[in-house]
């Protein structure tokens, strides 16, 4: 596959979607981390990933700029709104930390898939110079998904232990 106007359009649309996806991730994680009290290891990892995600947004903006394109403010706003709604939806549940952990793991895997698709288009569609930036974002998402996977059992057990002791286990 060579770079054509259609391939470029697909790639640019994917980049704009990834930018909006990362904005959505921020709108999900920031409210979560602000509410966490009983799970400092989760809060610390979310704070770390928020900083990574802000870097991912900046890298995507640089990639779009290198293609003489900009991000889609409408997509950014729409996905940020849905991210905020998801965070609010979990906040009213008795098992918010569990729901957040499950949703975050699913979202990280969605991001992984999105970056793999973008890398495929970049490699085969005439944008190989942009692969390292996309791979950097992908590697950060893989690391976060791995952390969530590795810590789901301990978060679940801590939640259950706090509940059993009659303590606040929600966040």
């Amino acid at each position: 596959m060579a770079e054509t106007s259609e391939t470029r359009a697909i790639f640019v649309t994917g980049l704009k979607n990834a930018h909006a996806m990362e904005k959505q991730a921020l709108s999900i994680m920031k409210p979560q981390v602000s509410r966490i009290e009983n799970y400092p290891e989760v809060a610390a990892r979310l704070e770390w990933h928020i900083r990574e995600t802000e870097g991912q947004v900046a890298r995507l903006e640089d990639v779009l700029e290198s293609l003489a394109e900009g991000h889609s403010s409408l997509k950014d706003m729409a996905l940020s709104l849905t991210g905020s709604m998801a965070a609010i939806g979990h906040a009213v549940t008795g098992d918010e930390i569990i729901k957040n952990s499950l949703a975050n793991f699913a979202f990280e895997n969605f991001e992984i898939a999105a970056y793999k698709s973008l890398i495929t288009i970049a490699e085969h569609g005439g944008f190989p110079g942009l692969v390292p930036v996309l791979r950097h974002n992908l590697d950060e998402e893989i690391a976060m998904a791995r952390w969530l996977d590795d810590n789901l059992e301990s978060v679940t057990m801590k939640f259950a232990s706090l509940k059993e002791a009659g303590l606040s286990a929600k966040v």
Side-chain angles (χ1 to χ4, degrees), residues 41-163:
E41 66 286 353
V42 175
R45 188 59 177 99
L46 283 175
E47 287 170 354
W48 178 268
H49 196 55
I50 286 168
R51 288 190 300 277
E52 287 179 327
T53 302
E54 290 167 343
Q56 292 167 8
V57 168
R59 285 189 291 275
L60 288 167
E61 288 172 354
D62 290 345
V63 168
L64 283 163
E65 188 177 303
S66 77
L67 297 170
E69 298 284 347
H71 60 90
S72 169
S73 296
L74 181 60
K75 283 181 185 181
D76 289 355
M77 183 179 64
L79 289 182
S80 290
L81 179 62
T82 62
S84 295
M85 299 285 280
I88 290 168
H90 292 173
V92 299
T93 64
D95 60 347
E96 178 181 0
I97 192 70
I98 301 296
K99 283 188 174 51
N100 286 347
S101 295
L102 300 175
N104 290 348
F105 182 68
F107 197 84
E108 291 302 322
N109 280 283
F110 176 79
E111 290 176 304
I112 289 166
Y115 282 114
K116 286 182 175 184
S117 178
L118 280 170
I119 289 168
T120 298
I121 294 170
E123 288 175 337
H124 301 288
F127 308 98
L130 299 176
V131 170
V133 173
L134 298 171
R135 199 168 300 281
H136 185 156
N137 286 11
L138 173 62
D139 290 344
E140 290 176 345
E141 300 302 356
I142 289 170
M144 184 61 178
R146 186 175 301 122
W147 187 91
L148 289 162
D149 188 34
D150 290 346
N151 287 274
L152 183 58
E153 183 177 346
S154 64
V155 169
T156 301
M157 292 304 297
K158 185 171 186 176
F159 172 79
S161 295
L162 290 170
K163 279 300 243 193

